[in-house]
Amino acid sequence: MTFEPATDKKVDSEVLSKDDTTSSQLDISTPQTLKTREVPWYAYIWDYEPDRTHEERVFVSKLDAYLITILSLGYFIKNLDQTNISNAFVSGMKEDLAMNGNQINLIDTAWTVGYVVGQIPSQIILTKVRPSIWVPSCELVWTMLTFTLAAAKTSNHVIIIRFFIGLAESIFYPAAHTVLGAWYKPSELGKRACIFHASSAVAAMFSGYLQAAVYKGLNGVHGFAGWQWLFIMDGLISAPICLAGFFLLPDLPENTRAFYLSDSDRALAKKRMETVGRAPRKKLTLATFRRIFSRWHIYLLTILYIIFINISPSSSVNPFSLWLKAKGLPVSKINIIPTGSYAIQLVLTVSFAIISDAIRHRARIMSISTFLGGFAALCLAIWNIPTGLKWLSFFLQRASVPYGPLSMSWANEICGADAEERTIVIGVMNSMGYAFNAFVPLLTYPQTDAPRFRKGFIYSTCGFAAQGLITAAVAYMQKRDAKKKEKATTGDEEGVDDAVLVSATRTTDL
């Protein structure tokens, strides 16, 4: 595949005249010399905008250093908490709390219900309350609740606690994408969104290593089992990150008070968003909702995300870990070996983001993720395959995950001209995705089907086929809208030209 790096202008035009007159004085027949700027090698990996000023480069670097860092750390602790449940389950919690039925599915359902209930209200609150206050406050709540998991005595205790953790965590992912979309241009957004999302893979890998170390070094210390120490360590890691969020989240360009942004930075942020047609927030009214629900965006993008969220097992059920447990491997290996699949997710997430930003085409790269996930699901649905292929399929399961952050970046761009629509659509996408996730995994990947999960893998194979179709549908609708907009713009320009010509003719007649 060959592609040009994404830039606002790929060719610089130098207009030369014989008498050095200004461009407004040039005759229309004056020759133009086009000078093509050589594209550096890093343009295919990171931002390359030749016309970006030094001031703008420094500004974007500040955003990367503070905003991307704090969002990545926040998403890290959120996913550390989610992954810790599945690692704790295979590291003694199942036996200690007598979870021999589908309790792990019920725990996951409780978290999902809380996650669904909180999302849309949170996105509405976000239009009224500063993200730098709302997001870290909710992070502190779920951190305190994570500590209490170590004191759970029955699976019912875990179910109740996980509901409230899901409620608190529901705000983070849509809020983070809303904030990212308010600061970065399309040529910058995909990479940043996927780097932020890649922290979930780092969290999953870290959780596996942490559980293996905790089980070996702290199991039984002060009367706590290894899985209980996992939640304690989770809380200790999360607390300082929550506090840092109050100072590092910059809110939005129109109301930021971040200490690391100057007045000129704030003015530049607004100008950048105006340049790419990204509208600032306005008052949320009934007319706003009528406008949002009269467009195709909210419907197709929501279907797209529902399929993505529900295409695989829930975070509490890891078929790879359960397969290894069924094979009789020791706890340390059960926790460490699956981290390889998260490493693949990490590499592909960043790689796909770089390529999609470079070619400015989300759907093509998202389809690669769909194909890899579908291939893995199909092989595992067949099951009786060579051992090496089965290992490869388990490792490739997470290759489908990069689709998620790219779809959020895509939604940010499709709805970019309407700030309220962008906020609501992202919230509805995520909340509806997890609304189905409250019951779909119970039907498709129940714990009692482990480690074979025959109907689950068949379901996933069909799901990836549906994902390919909805991706194509959204791409078609976006292209159709772009053509309509281009046609309308061309018509307006022709109208202006005709008006000027008529005016000039009348002036000549006079």
Side-chain angles (χ1 to χ4, degrees), residues 66 70 132 136 242-250 257-260:
Y66 291 99
I70 194 60
S132 62
C242 302
L243 297 174
F246 288 105
F247 304 98
L248 299 184
L249 273 175
R257 56 186 181 186
F259 70 89
Y260 50 87

Side-chain angles (χ1 to χ4, degrees), residues 310-387:
N310 294 279
I311 208 164
S312 301
S314 61
S315 59
S316 298
V317 176
N318 187 335
F320 200 177
S321 297
L322 293 170
W323 179 61
L324 295 173
K325 188 178 179 73
K327 289 172 69 69
L329 271 67
V331 170
S332 59
K333 289 188 176 181
I334 293 173
N335 282 289
I336 291 175
I337 291 175
T339 62
S341 63
Y342 294 102
I344 291 172
Q345 174 192 333
L346 175 62
V347 172
L348 291 181
T349 298
V350 177
S351 300
F352 288 173
I354 290 170
I355 298 171
S356 70
D357 269 5
I359 67 174
R360 295 284 182 90
H361 204 298
R362 305 295 182 202
R364 293 174 187 170
I365 305 305
M366 290 161 66
S367 297
I368 298 174
S369 187
T370 298
F371 171 78
L372 293 174
F375 172 77
L378 178 61
C379 290
L380 292 172
I382 297 172
W383 193 256
N384 294 318
I385 55 178
T387 302

Side-chain angles (χ1 to χ4, degrees), residues 474-490:
V474 173
Y476 169 79
M477 294 299 289
Q478 184 189 26
K479 189 175 181 180
R480 189 198 67 172
D481 286 357
K483 286 182 177 178
K484 284 184 178 179
K485 185 176 180 181
E486 183 180 355
K487 187 176 180 180
T489 304
T490 303

